[in-house]
Amino acid sequence: MTNERRVHLSRSAPPAYQALSAFSKTVGALSTEAGIDDRLKELVQIHTSQLNGCAYCVRVHVERAEKAGVTLDTIAQLPVWRDSGVFTERERAGLELAEAFAFISEGGIPDDVYDRVGGILSEQEYVALSWILVSINAFNRIAIAGRYAVPPREDLAGEDSDAAAGRAW
């Protein structure tokens, strides 16, 4: 990978980024209404970002997960969640769904995943998590395409406040 400067999509087209930010807020409200807690929401967003190779979004969502009470030990277990005992059945379902969405080009959501996850989550929860995953995959692609630098940890508060205000990061 070169260090060449890339177009910063969110700064170059603020209305598009603001629309995506508004979409993300709508998805967040939908997930709250469906009973998706912040822990599950952040775990699936971290894992999706890991799978997509988006260091920027991993950093942002690790910070948010910590604020939601997720321990660093739990976060460290995400890449090996199938072999770890720290995740609930619902979290395992969410992580499996996250993987299916990250690799959706490889045949969509497989029937066995849909059936297994649907046997654990309600339809409303499935829908809400699906929209969360659509949203994080979109943000991953923006950050990866622009090769967004991972800010020092102390800079994240400013990044989050910019995003919350609909300003481009």
Side-chain angles (χ1 to χ4, degrees):
M1 191 158 80
T2 67
N3 288 330
E4 74 181 57
R5 187 180 171 316
R6 296 280 176 115
V7 171
H8 198 290
L9 293 174
S10 58
R11 289 185 187 141
S12 298
Y17 176 79
Q18 290 165 350
L20 184 57
S21 181
F23 168 73
S24 178
K25 288 177 187 173
T26 299
V27 167
L30 179 71
S31 68
T32 300
E33 289 170 15
I36 304 297
D37 61 37
D38 288 343
R39 176 183 164 100
L40 177 54
K41 182 169 55 172
E42 296 305 331
L43 290 173
V44 299
Q45 290 181 102
I46 293 167
H47 193 49
T48 300
S49 299
Q50 289 172 329
L51 295 170
N52 286 328
C54 185
Y56 185 93
C57 292
V58 167
R59 168 57 67 75
V60 168
H61 289 283
V62 163
E63 181 82 8
R64 291 178 185 173
E66 286 181 309
K67 288 178 183 173
V70 180
T71 66
L72 291 178
D73 179 61
T74 299
I75 293 168
Q77 295 295 308
L78 281 169
V80 293
W81 68 267
R82 283 183 172 82
D83 299 319
S84 175
V86 303
F87 301 101
T88 67
E89 184 179 42
R90 288 170 47 77
E91 290 167 349
R92 290 175 176 282
L95 293 168
E96 187 169 16
L97 190 60
E99 290 178 356
F101 268 85
F103 302 118
I104 203 159
S105 67
E106 298 174 11
I109 307 297
D111 290 340
D112 63 325
V113 171
Y114 181 83
D115 292 341
R116 192 168 32 258
V117 171
I120 297 167
L121 302 176
S122 71
E123 182 176 337
Q124 188 179 14
E125 291 169 328
Y126 179 91
V127 168
L129 273 178
S130 293
W131 281 113
I132 289 168
L133 295 167
V134 167
S135 178
I136 191 60
N137 274 286
F139 280 110
N140 287 170
R141 277 142 183 79
I142 291 167
I144 293 167
R147 294 189 180 154
Y148 289 10
V150 177
R153 196 161 187 174
E154 57 274 7
D155 289 351
L156 281 177
E159 299 286 335
D160 272 352
S161 66
D162 284 349
R167 292 188 297 269
W169 35 267

